[in-house]
Amino acid sequence: MYSYFGEKFKNKVHYVNHHLAHAASSYYASGYASAIIVTLDGRGEYETIGIYKGEGTKIIKLYSYKYPHSIGYMYTALTKFLGFKPKHDEYKVMGLASYGRQNQDADNKISKLFSLKNNKFRLNLHFFDHHYKFGKRRMLYSKKFQKTFGSPRYKNNLGQDDADLAYSLQKHLNLIVLEILKDVLNKHKTVKNLCLAGGVALNCSMNTAIAESQLFDNIFINPAANDAGTSLGAALYCFYLKSPNTPTVKLKNAYLGRDTDTDADIQARISKYKDISYYYQKNVCECAAQKISKGNVIGWYQGRMEFGPRALGNRSILADPRLSGMKDLINKKIKFREEFRPFAPSVLYEDVSEFFQVQNCALSLYKYMLSTVKANPSIISQIPAVVHVDGTSRIQTVSAGDNEKYYNLIKCFKQITGIPILLNTSFNIKGQPIVCSVEEAVASFLESDLDYLYIGSYEIVKNRGEKL
């Protein structure tokens, strides 16, 4: 075997199955001594769902669901049908589902797509074509699908019936997964910890349904539950294969990526730009909190980048959650994305119960924005920009031990406003990845209507008149 550099590779290569890598990425980072592990994906090799049991440092495969019977592909087919990008925009369908309502016609259509007998999930393959041979032009859904559901939709022209369809799809996803989990628990009643992984495990509404079912005492999901996390899972699996007596260690936080440079390095890099001015702020958290409290929207680029698809306060766009028009403003002028998309609240860990109805079994999910919760009705009017149309929020709890600087920023905002919450969304423009360098942060700042940018201890403004 040869490396990318053309040199002979002499070390041993150990192949790790896709779903096993997913399972390892969650279990070995959970800190649990034992757990049921369920991997939910579109497809990995010829498996779509993997059921495992973790005991100590061993992962034991129990059984799996085989391709082409995939809940991931079912969700993806509807994603494409509704006019979104398949294997990319499924989270948008999840957001759209909140605008839906109970609709018997939608339920009848969705229920034709699968069967769930004796807890065994099967797709009705007459409605799909993802299982056709490679080389054939595949739509993901078949002609029979279109006869049942009608013509494909366009994401910019969706109506109530389409929202109802998304609602029914999400409802049936929750039902299928809960039945699978109940079946596993019936066979392994003594295990009360659950680890989830795979792209479907990023579905916050599904995770909420699992938490509210109270089937498990504790639930853990790696923040990079999608295929990005398989690299970590493969590495951890091989490590414990070689060192089985080494105790597992719980993942402390998701700040594992590229770090910012020192303030001196940052200054050297931003000084090259002629269309910005920058100011050193001794207390950057207090300064930024003041700006946010006055209705400004800021870019916040600090410390190590987050591992996984969710911005968790180090590569974030931040705003005041108290302003009812803030969601629409950010969607239209900064993120340039669909109006129905919600924004997440970052809330101080010690204050979360005052604002949101959390489940104790899901506390580890909240720090990574992996589950939604109901907002307490009495406080919705105080934070309208971060409560979705269905009264829920995809929260991120923030503690000083996880992210001291971001914690201090929110705490400063609380001291000013009495609200321990910031609106948090990823620092990127629609169609672009989250900013990964100082230069990308400045470029996105200049391309959007962000009011201020904070990198390290520097406050950055555009050279067209500083806002007060």
Side-chain angles (χ1 to χ4, degrees):
M1 179 177 288
Y2 292 86
S3 73
Y4 288 110
F5 303 102
E7 300 172 350
K8 191 81 173 186
F9 185 83
K10 299 178 181 179
N11 293 325
K12 184 178 179 180
V13 175
H14 188 92
Y15 173 74
V16 182
N17 171 275
H18 184 86
H19 279 267
L20 180 57
H22 271 314
S25 74
S26 186
Y27 178 64
Y28 289 133
S30 69
Y32 300 152
S34 64
I36 294 297
I37 313 165
V38 178
T39 60
L40 305 160
D41 216 348
R43 174 185 179 181
E45 285 88 25
Y46 284 91
E47 295 175 309
T48 61
I49 299 173
I51 311 295
Y52 303 83
K53 184 179 180 182
E55 292 182 348
T57 59
K58 292 183 179 180
I59 294 179
I60 304 161
K61 182 178 179 180
L62 302 176
Y63 56 93
S64 65
Y65 289 73
K66 300 294 191 279
Y67 184 82
H69 301 287
S70 167
I71 56 175
Y73 272 111
M74 182 177 77
Y75 209 98
T76 290
L78 267 295
T79 297
K80 183 173 184 179
F81 177 77
L82 290 170
F84 298 103
K85 184 178 179 180
K87 300 182 182 179
H88 185 272
D89 289 346
E90 283 75 10
Y91 63 98
K92 297 181 182 180
V93 177
M94 183 183 71
L96 178 64
S98 298
Y99 288 84
R101 59 197 175 191
Q102 183 62 39
N103 182 316
Q104 190 60 52
D105 181 61
D107 281 349
N108 290 340
K109 290 176 180 177
I110 295 294
S111 63
K112 292 179 180 179
L113 301 180
F114 68 94
S115 63
L116 190 64
K117 296 179 181 178
N118 299 321
N119 302 310
K120 299 298 181 184
F121 168 76
R122 294 289 184 271
L123 285 181
N124 184 342
L125 295 176
H126 295 296
F127 287 87
F128 303 92
D129 70 359
H130 62 268
H131 55 294
Y132 290 169
K133 289 183 179 179
F134 290 103
K136 296 191 70 172
R137 184 173 182 272
R138 294 179 294 179
M139 293 290 292
L140 297 179
Y141 48 82
S142 67
K143 291 181 179 179
K144 183 170 184 177
F145 184 104
Q146 293 186 63
K147 287 181 180 179
T148 302
F149 288 84
S151 300
R153 312 297 200 260
Y154 298 94
K155 64 179 180 180
N156 295 325
N157 191 31
L158 296 173
Q160 184 61 51
D161 287 345
D162 303 312
D164 295 347
L165 202 61
Y167 175 91
S168 182
L169 173 66
Q170 183 63 53
K171 182 179 74 173
H172 283 85
L173 171 69
N174 298 351
L175 180 152
I176 293 166
V177 173
L178 285 173
E179 287 303 309
I180 291 172
L181 292 177
K182 289 174 184 176
D183 181 55
V184 180
L185 267 183
N186 284 337
K187 299 171 183 175
H188 303 274
K189 294 182 172 64
T190 61
V191 182
K192 298 298 288 182
N193 298 320
L194 173 66
C195 293
L196 291 175
V200 180
L202 291 173
N203 188 294
C204 297
S205 297
M206 179 194 76
N207 297 337
T208 299
I210 296 171
E212 291 179 345
S213 73
Q214 297 292 311
L215 290 172
F216 297 89
D217 293 341
N218 301 289
I219 305 170
F220 179 82
I221 303 172
N222 191 295
N226 56 7
D227 285 356
T230 56
S231 57
L232 174 63
L236 288 171
Y237 181 80
C238 290
F239 175 82
Y240 285 108
L241 194 65
K242 186 176 182 180
S243 307
N245 295 322
T246 304
T248 61
V249 179
K250 185 174 182 178
L251 181 71
K252 292 181 179 180
N253 58 61
Y255 307 107
L256 303 174
R258 178 176 176 173
D259 199 352
T260 54
D261 300 305
T262 65
D263 282 338
D265 291 329
I266 293 170
Q267 182 183 18
R269 295 169 76 174
I270 62 179
S271 64
K272 298 180 293 185
Y273 294 89
K274 304 299 182 183
D275 38 9
I276 63 171
S277 296
Y278 56 91
Y279 308 92
Y280 179 84
Q281 299 292 348
K282 186 175 181 180
N283 192 333
V284 70
C285 292
E286 182 178 336
C287 177
Q290 287 284 357
K291 293 296 193 298
I292 296 171
S293 71
K294 294 179 180 178
N296 294 292
V297 183
I298 72 165
W300 186 251
Y301 183 103
Q302 307 287 338
R304 290 190 176 276
M305 189 174 183
E306 301 88 336
F307 180 44
R310 307 270 157 81
L312 301 171
N314 279 6
R315 302 290 185 275
S316 292
I317 290 172
L318 305 173
D320 192 333
R322 301 173 299 162
L323 306 179
S324 59
M326 185 58 73
K327 181 175 87 74
D328 293 336
L329 185 151
I330 297 176
N331 272 331
K332 290 180 180 179
K333 295 187 176 183
I334 297 172
K335 298 286 280 188
F336 309 117
R337 66 182 200 177
E338 298 83 3
E339 294 182 2
F340 64 81
R341 301 270 298 280
F343 289 109
S346 293
V347 53
L348 296 183
Y349 177 83
E350 60 267 28
D351 294 323
V352 64
S353 297
E354 179 183 347
F355 290 84
F356 302 102
Q357 300 172 24
V358 297
Q359 300 286 333
N360 288 335
C361 64
L363 291 178
S364 69
L365 306 187
Y366 301 143
K367 64 190 292 185
Y368 302 126
M369 288 188 191
L370 288 169
S371 179
T372 58
V373 295
K374 292 182 176 66
N376 291 328
S378 60
I379 58 86
I380 291 178
S381 62
Q382 299 179 48
I383 51 170
V386 292
V387 179
H388 202 22
V389 65
D390 61 354
T392 67
S393 296
R394 188 188 68 189
I395 64 172
Q396 176 201 2
T397 54
V398 182
S399 65
D402 288 335
N403 191 330
E404 184 177 7
K405 197 167 193 177
Y406 192 39
Y407 177 89
N408 288 337
L409 174 64
I410 302 173
K411 192 171 183 179
C412 286
F413 184 79
K414 178 184 178 181
Q415 291 170 349
I416 297 167
T417 65
I419 300 295
I421 296 170
L422 288 177
L423 181 155
N424 175 16
T425 187
S426 57
F427 193 169
N428 68 303
I429 297 172
K430 181 184 177 183
Q432 298 180 5
I434 298 176
V435 296
C436 192
S437 67
V438 169
E439 289 75 15
E440 289 175 359
V442 173
S444 293
F445 174 58
L446 293 172
E447 291 173 17
S448 68
D449 280 347
L450 281 171
D451 298 306
Y452 293 89
L453 171 61
Y454 292 88
I455 302 179
S457 298
Y458 287 96
E459 178 184 80
I460 301 171
V461 298
K462 298 165 187 170
N463 286 338
R464 57 190 188 200
E466 181 180 353
K467 294 196 174 196
L468 298 177

